[in-house]
Amino acid sequence: MTPWLGLVVLLGSWSLGYWGAEACTCSPSHPQDAFCNSDIVIRAKVVGKKLVKEGPFGTLVYTIKQMKMYRGFTKMPHVQYIHTEASESLCGLKLEVNKYQYLLTGRVYDGKMYTGLCNFVERWDQLTLSQRKGLNYRYHLGCNCKIKSCYYLPCFVTSKNECLWTDMLSNFGYPGYQSKHYACIRQKSGYCSWYRGWAPPDKSIINATDP
């Protein structure tokens, strides 16, 4: 078993490839949970790829240009390569070369970063401003909180550490409003609750405030 195959069992996260492969099943996860449960979170551009003979169907090794690191400074301060299964049926991830910048999350095994469809991976230009701010500092503040998924009503929080995630009630399988615009952060009262912060700035100055 390759490190990534073990990771598929251990870690399920919402990603752009949720419906990407018939045999790859991933549990929905709020981006904050994906952030907090990842060893590495970076913004990067893919500049090359190659197929290596590793695992039952091979492993794709992407060469990346790291733009910014949000998590993983002690694990691997600079990432040059990311590894994923070559087969989408094993949750392998397909990325465009020399085209987009991506938000990439993953785990580290034997000094290598592994990622796949069950990780939070998204084109940078598809992230909301709130998600970008979450990556910069808000998600980190909420890593001691617990995001509790609600699939059917009624559902309730059972401790002061929980935020109730209800996106699946109306947007099952897709990122919903809480995923796109909210972080679960502990407040001064000691309770965790959803936090959005200020409204997005005018579109003409978004680039100036881009995290």
Side-chain angles (χ1 to χ4, degrees):
M1 176 180 290
T2 64
W4 168 242
L5 285 175
L7 177 59
V8 172
V9 177
L10 292 172
L11 178 66
S13 301
W14 166 73
S15 76
L16 58 79
Y18 187 88
W19 298 108
E22 184 177 350
C24 178
T25 302
C26 309
S27 299
S29 181
H30 190 279
Q32 178 176 314
D33 271 348
F35 174 92
C36 295
N37 290 327
S38 296
D39 292 330
I40 302 290
V41 181
I42 57 174
R43 175 183 179 182
K45 185 174 183 178
V46 178
V47 295
K49 69 175 180 180
K50 65 178 179 179
L51 179 65
V52 298
K53 294 181 179 179
E54 180 182 298
F57 298 100
T59 298
L60 276 176
V61 180
Y62 290 102
T63 304
I64 64 168
K65 180 181 179 182
Q66 180 176 308
M67 305 295 184
K68 187 171 183 178
M69 174 166 279
Y70 300 94
R71 188 174 179 86
F73 300 97
T74 59
K75 287 272 188 179
M76 186 182 290
H78 184 77
V79 182
Q80 187 175 1
Y81 304 102
I82 58 172
H83 298 69
T84 188
E85 292 288 341
S87 172
E88 288 185 85
S89 64
L90 295 178
C91 298
L93 187 64
K94 298 295 189 291
L95 301 173
E96 299 281 352
V97 177
N98 290 319
K99 195 169 184 180
Y100 305 111
Q101 290 187 27
Y102 291 95
L103 187 281
L104 302 168
T105 69
R107 306 298 295 270
V108 175
Y109 292 92
D110 296 327
K112 300 176 182 178
M113 177 178 169
Y114 287 83
T115 191
L117 291 176
C118 288
N119 289 92
F120 180 28
V121 175
E122 184 59 270
R123 279 172 43 183
W124 185 258
D125 61 359
Q126 298 297 314
L127 295 176
T128 65
L129 182 64
S130 294
Q131 287 173 326
R132 297 180 189 186
K133 288 185 175 180
L135 293 164
N136 233 28
Y137 57 94
R138 290 177 184 165
Y139 292 160
H140 176 75
L141 294 176
C143 283
N144 290 326
C145 294
K146 180 181 179 182
I147 296 176
K148 184 177 181 179
S149 300
C150 176
Y151 295 96
Y152 308 100
L153 292 175
C155 47
F156 310 94
V157 294
T158 55
S159 80
K160 66 179 183 179
N161 296 324
E162 294 178 345
C163 293
L164 197 61
W165 185 30
T166 59
D167 280 352
M168 287 73 68
L169 294 176
S170 57
N171 294 284
F172 186 80
Y174 296 93
Y177 201 76
Q178 287 173 315
S179 296
K180 292 180 178 180
H181 301 291
Y182 285 86
C184 177
I185 296 175
R186 191 178 304 278
Q187 307 298 327
K188 291 181 180 179
S189 63
Y191 285 80
C192 292
S193 62
W194 292 113
Y195 175 80
R196 180 173 184 177
W198 297 100
D202 184 87
K203 289 184 178 181
S204 63
I205 61 171
I206 282 181
N207 288 337
T209 61
D210 195 8

